[in-house]
Amino acid sequence: MEKRLSDAALQGNVTSLVQILEEDPLILDKLIVSCISETPLHTAATLGHLDFLKELLSRKPELAAELDSCGCSPLHLAAAKGHVDVVKELLSAGGEVGLERNTDGRTALHVAAIKGRAVILAELIRVNPELTRVLTDRGETGLHLCVKWNRLEALKLLVEENGKDGELVNWKDCEGNTALHIAVAKKHIEIINCLLTLSGLEVNALNKSGLTALDILRQSPRDLRDMEIELALRKAGASSVKDLHLITDDWIPQKARQMTKRLSSQETRTKKPVVKHKSTDWLGRKRSALMVVASLIATVAFQAGLTPPGGVWQDNYTVDDKGNPVNDPHSVGQSIMAYQEPKSYGIFMILNTIAFLSSLSIILLLVSGLPMRRRRWMWVQMIIMWIAITAQVGTYFVTLRHMSPNDVEGVLREVTEISVLTWLTLMVVVFMGNAVRMNLWVLRKYGYIKEKEIQTEGIEDDEEDMLE
């Protein structure tokens, strides 16, 4: 009998339904008592069999409140499918069918909003306007869901019905996001423009992270729509948190508050202005720069060591065609430059080895994990880096001299001498400048020179006491 009833519901056959009910008048009551997952009314509501549904409701109106395995009532299913006449009939059954929530915590209005069924929304609101105030488990209204699923027509209908309700338009979900927050995060431009036309909209509302809609836009991945969205928000008076000057003491981290109190007490004792330094990670920047440069030099030196100027021999040549020993034998894989210009090759390999080992030493020190975070250790590493760079420059000039033909030797010698002299001059200037800075730091550290209060932010010497 239940199988026949299920088949009649699938076909929407009212005649079969009447015949079954005549044969077993209690079959509908048995369905309710048996707690089956889906009633014939669910099937009729899903497929839009209006006449079949009317006959069922006339015989057993309480079927409208029955839920399936997903917690959905027949109204949920009809709203999702967009069967307006079926929705009207189910609403006329009375009771609180519109307030039933499924396992996802959504009412029929929420389902209609997700599906973009504007006509269904209008009918639900007409019958019970309070349905717009029913929230999901995440504290979302139908307006939130329309925005999240980009249902513009459904959104416009909700706005028309509740446009003057500022509380609904500015309602915040469990994360403190209003409909505008979600629209900006999703970058639904048309919905954003629609929301910005509402007079009661709070464009600078804050979510639980303390962000406005403009802040969310700036923190989201960038694309071509950002400029248009930001322009629309700006025209509506949107601002970031910094522009609103809404930072309170509760937002300041504990360590920052302690530092502020310490500075205030120091200022009170000394009666002098306290110098505030910009928090610049000098050592971090230097370590990162040294790692990059050292890696590049090590790569170049390694490649130069394996492929010296002129290349390597590609064969073994120890005897001639007659089997007699040759005067200038060589073996495969050995450097050609080492046979032709052994003195220049020796200088080349010495300089290249110094550059290679110096750069590897820098990398090893940086990744070793040793406690070398003080400035003096950083100076040592920088000196090693100067040695590596200088050796690499020397390697370049030796290679250049070897690869150039004899007819340009005079011009090349002049260019080399000028280049080397320029490089040595630059090295001397850099060395002297850093030597002076180090001497001044030592004198200040041991009290021979009184350190002046420097108002300029970001001066590296002023950060030494903090790093020590």
Side-chain angles (χ1 to χ4, degrees):
M1 190 70 71
E2 293 178 357
K3 178 65 169 58
R4 291 174 55 193
L5 183 60
S6 177
D7 292 340
L10 287 172
Q11 299 171 6
N13 193 329
V14 179
T15 304
S16 297
L17 173 62
V18 173
Q19 184 179 356
I20 293 171
L21 291 176
E22 289 177 354
E23 295 178 10
D24 187 357
L26 298 178
I27 188 172
L28 297 180
D29 296 283
K30 293 177 181 178
L31 291 176
I32 296 175
V33 174
S34 63
C35 300
I36 61 174
S37 61
E38 187 175 282
T39 67
L41 191 64
H42 285 93
T43 305
T46 302
L47 300 177
H49 297 322
L50 180 60
D51 295 334
F52 189 92
L53 182 136
K54 287 182 177 180
E55 186 65 27
L56 280 175
L57 290 177
S58 65
R59 302 295 184 100
K60 192 64 63 175
E62 53 266 36
L63 283 174
E66 290 296 310
L67 306 179
D68 63 9
S69 58
C70 296
C72 292
S73 67
L75 185 61
H76 282 92
L77 304 179
K81 294 290 289 185
H83 301 312
V84 182
D85 294 333
V86 174
V87 169
K88 291 180 180 180
E89 194 65 30
L90 289 169
L91 289 174
S92 65
E96 302 294 333
V97 290
L99 299 176
E100 293 288 347
R101 299 201 294 178
N102 59 17
T103 54
D104 294 326
R106 295 165 179 165
T107 65
L109 183 139
H110 297 143
V111 173
I114 291 174
K115 294 296 184 178
R117 311 296 186 187
V119 180
I120 303 295
L121 288 174
E123 184 62 26
L124 290 170
I125 296 173
R126 183 188 66 81
V127 174
N128 188 359
E130 293 299 319
L131 289 177
T132 58
R133 298 182 176 274
V134 180
L135 307 178
T136 67
D137 290 344
R138 292 180 48 82
E140 300 165 312
T141 65
L143 201 64
H144 285 90
L145 298 175
C146 288
V147 173
K148 183 178 292 186
W149 296 89
N150 197 20
R151 307 300 185 186
L152 181 60
E153 295 302 322
L155 174 74
K156 289 180 178 179
L157 185 138
L158 288 177
V159 167
E160 291 176 0
E161 297 291 338
N162 302 276
K164 298 181 180 179
D165 189 351
E167 182 181 0
L168 184 64
V169 171
N170 298 307
W171 187 268
K172 298 180 180 180
D173 61 13
C174 62
E175 296 178 354
N177 291 318
T178 65
L180 184 62
H181 283 100
I182 298 174
V184 172
K186 297 287 185 179
K187 299 188 179 181
H188 298 324
I189 297 178
E190 294 181 344
I191 288 182
I192 293 173
N193 292 331
C194 179
L195 291 173
L196 292 177
T197 59
L198 304 179
S199 58
L201 179 69
E202 296 179 7
V203 293
N204 292 319
L206 303 180
N207 61 12
K208 287 188 176 180
S209 299
L211 301 176
T212 65
L214 187 59
D215 292 320
I216 290 180
L217 176 66
R218 292 176 175 177
Q219 294 183 10
S220 63
R222 309 299 292 175
D223 61 26
L224 298 176
R225 296 170 291 179
D226 290 1
M227 185 176 297
E228 181 180 352
I229 294 174
E230 182 167 356
L231 181 60
L233 290 173
R234 287 291 189 183
K235 287 183 178 180
S239 302
S240 64
V241 173
K242 293 181 180 180
D243 296 335
L244 295 174
H245 304 289
L246 292 178
I247 299 178
T248 63
D249 186 69
D250 293 338
W251 295 3
I252 302 175
Q254 183 67 23
K255 290 185 178 181
R257 289 200 296 268
Q258 293 176 357
M259 180 63 71
T260 303
K261 292 179 180 178
R262 190 180 301 116
L263 292 173
S264 300
S265 60
Q266 179 181 352
E267 184 177 359
T268 303
R269 291 196 306 269
T270 59
K271 302 296 183 179
K272 295 180 180 180
V274 179
V275 181
K276 296 181 180 179
H277 301 283
K278 186 177 180 180
S279 178
T280 55
D281 187 6
W282 183 84
L283 288 180
R285 296 199 310 271
K286 293 297 182 184
R287 288 168 63 88
S288 300
L290 286 176
M291 178 62 78
V292 173
V293 177
S295 301
L296 292 175
I297 293 178
T299 303
V300 173
F302 178 80
Q303 186 66 28
L306 295 182
T307 56
V312 296
W313 297 109
Q314 302 298 316
D315 60 350
N316 290 316
Y317 182 64
T318 55
V319 295
D320 57 16
D321 297 338
K322 298 179 181 181
N324 299 321
V326 297
N327 296 328
D328 51 350
H330 61 258
S331 301
V332 63
Q334 294 182 342
S335 172
I336 298 175
M337 181 181 180
Y339 284 87
Q340 296 181 350
E341 298 183 24
K343 184 177 180 180
S344 298
Y345 178 76
I347 297 174
F348 168 81
M349 290 304 299
I350 291 174
L351 293 175
N352 191 68
T353 302
I354 292 174
F356 183 66
L357 294 180
S358 299
S359 57
L360 286 184
S361 300
I362 294 296
I363 297 174
L364 180 62
L365 290 173
L366 291 176
V367 303
S368 64
L370 296 176
M372 297 189 301
R373 296 184 178 275
R374 294 183 179 271
R375 180 168 296 199
R376 51 178 167 268
W377 294 114
M378 187 58 64
W379 289 120
V380 172
Q381 296 178 63
M382 291 179 65
I383 292 173
I384 298 175
M385 180 57 66
W386 293 341
I387 295 174
I389 295 175
T390 303
Q392 192 68 44
V393 172
T395 302
Y396 168 78
F397 284 122
V398 172
T399 304
L400 186 64
R401 291 289 297 271
H402 172 75
M403 296 175 61
S404 301
N406 295 329
D407 55 354
V408 298
E409 184 177 356
V411 178
L412 181 62
R413 182 180 294 107
E414 294 179 2
V415 173
T416 303
E417 291 175 353
I418 295 174
S419 301
V420 171
L421 182 60
T422 303
W423 175 258
L424 292 176
T425 302
L426 178 62
M427 290 295 296
V428 170
V429 171
V430 173
F431 177 79
M432 293 300 295
N434 284 279
V436 171
R437 292 181 63 188
M438 181 173 289
N439 290 332
L440 291 176
W441 173 77
V442 172
L443 293 175
R444 285 198 303 268
K445 184 174 182 64
Y446 292 98
Y448 294 102
I449 297 178
K450 293 183 178 180
E451 186 175 2
K452 297 181 180 180
E453 294 181 356
I454 301 177
Q455 300 296 333
T456 305
E457 296 181 345
I459 302 300
E460 296 173 357
D461 291 338
D462 291 338
E463 297 174 352
E464 179 59 29
D465 292 336
M466 297 171 63
L467 295 172
E468 292 290 345

